[in-house]
Amino acid sequence: MAVLAITALSLTRERVDTRREWTSVRATWLAALVIGGIAAWLIQDGLDLGRGTMLVPTVLGLFVVAGVGLGETVVRPPRPTGPRSASLAPRRVADYVPQALATAVAAMTALHLATLALTTATASTDDVGRAGRRVAAQCGDIGSAASPYPGSFYSVPLIALLGVIGVLTAAALMTVVRRPRGFAPDDMGDDVLRRRSATRVVAAAGAAVAASHAGVAFFAGAALHRMDCQDAWMAPVGSVLLASVPVALLLLGWSIGRIVTPGGLGRASLTRPAAAA
């Protein structure tokens, strides 16, 4: 009976269809993108004074991160129990994330948070009493103001969404690194698949942050340059912010590319049955 049980489990393991799993993963991405698009549209339609417009990229990015994270952790089912082999080598997140992309995402995140801190600190109340919605300057008897400007009226919900994205990213990366072996024919293949999953998660976070920064930097830079009267810091800061927009768009394109093609095993290796977990 024990031999029959072991044989049955072995046959079940050999019938694991990784192509079907991959189809499910892509379906999860698509569902997340569609739901995120609907949520972004509702926010765009429901929030006035430009708040919805500024939140749309981050909301859509949040659903992209969630979809990729679910696709790489939950949708891929655990392998059946049975005789297993395990590696005693410790696994760390840093060993699997792509260093160049992770560094770029970290730098863009720091720039984005610094931008939000600056705009929050320099924003003022608009003409009907809404705090943190415009930027203003006084030059002698002449005053000037411009809006929308991403002060606290916009930055507070943005920072909250970015915090959720950060938590989802960290949780997905930890799950990817800790998941059991058995997704590829050998340990090396498992590590490659783990790197691919980590790459997708980091890329999804990068796309979310880059899209958010592009929108915030554009609105802030444009507002600073529209003012007839400016403080000394406004023109150079506005130029730097506008210059960061194409950089963010480049990171956005790079991140989307890495989500779709993270690199790794060839097709033949991916479709063979897993032999160890």
Side-chain angles (χ1 to χ4, degrees), residues 115-192:
T115 299
L116 290 173
L118 172 68
T119 56
T120 301
T122 56
S124 60
T125 303
D126 65 11
D127 52 0
V128 294
R130 290 180 288 254
R133 189 177 170 269
R134 72 174 183 176
V135 60
Q138 188 74 29
C139 306
D141 296 332
I142 301 175
S144 181
S147 64
Y149 183 75
S152 59
F153 187 81
Y154 305 97
S155 64
V156 170
L158 269 175
I159 292 172
L161 286 173
L162 290 172
V164 175
I165 289 172
V167 170
L168 288 178
T169 301
L173 287 174
M174 292 299 296
T175 304
V176 164
V177 170
R178 293 177 178 177
R179 74 187 180 194
R181 297 187 183 275
F183 288 84
D186 50 43
D187 289 353
M188 181 178 295
D190 258 319
D191 284 340
V192 172

Side-chain angles (χ1 to χ4, degrees), residues 44-109:
Q44 166 71 25
D45 190 57
L47 297 178
D48 57 0
L49 302 173
R51 182 183 281 184
T53 302
M54 287 201 188
L55 289 177
V56 160
T58 313
V59 170
L60 189 57
L62 172 62
F63 279 90
V64 170
V65 172
V68 171
L70 288 174
E72 296 301 323
T73 57
V74 177
V75 172
R76 296 186 188 275
R79 296 303 188 258
T81 59
R84 306 169 66 90
S85 64
S87 171
L88 297 179
R91 296 196 294 263
R92 303 178 307 163
V93 171
D95 295 331
Y96 295 96
V97 298
Q99 293 303 313
L101 180 61
T103 300
V105 172
M108 182 56 65
T109 302

Side-chain angles (χ1 to χ4, degrees), residues 1 10 19 23 91 122 167 183 188 212 221 269:
M1 293 296 293
S10 299
R19 285 174 294 185
T23 299
R91 296 196 294 263
T122 56
V167 170
F183 288 84
M188 181 178 295
S212 179
S269 296

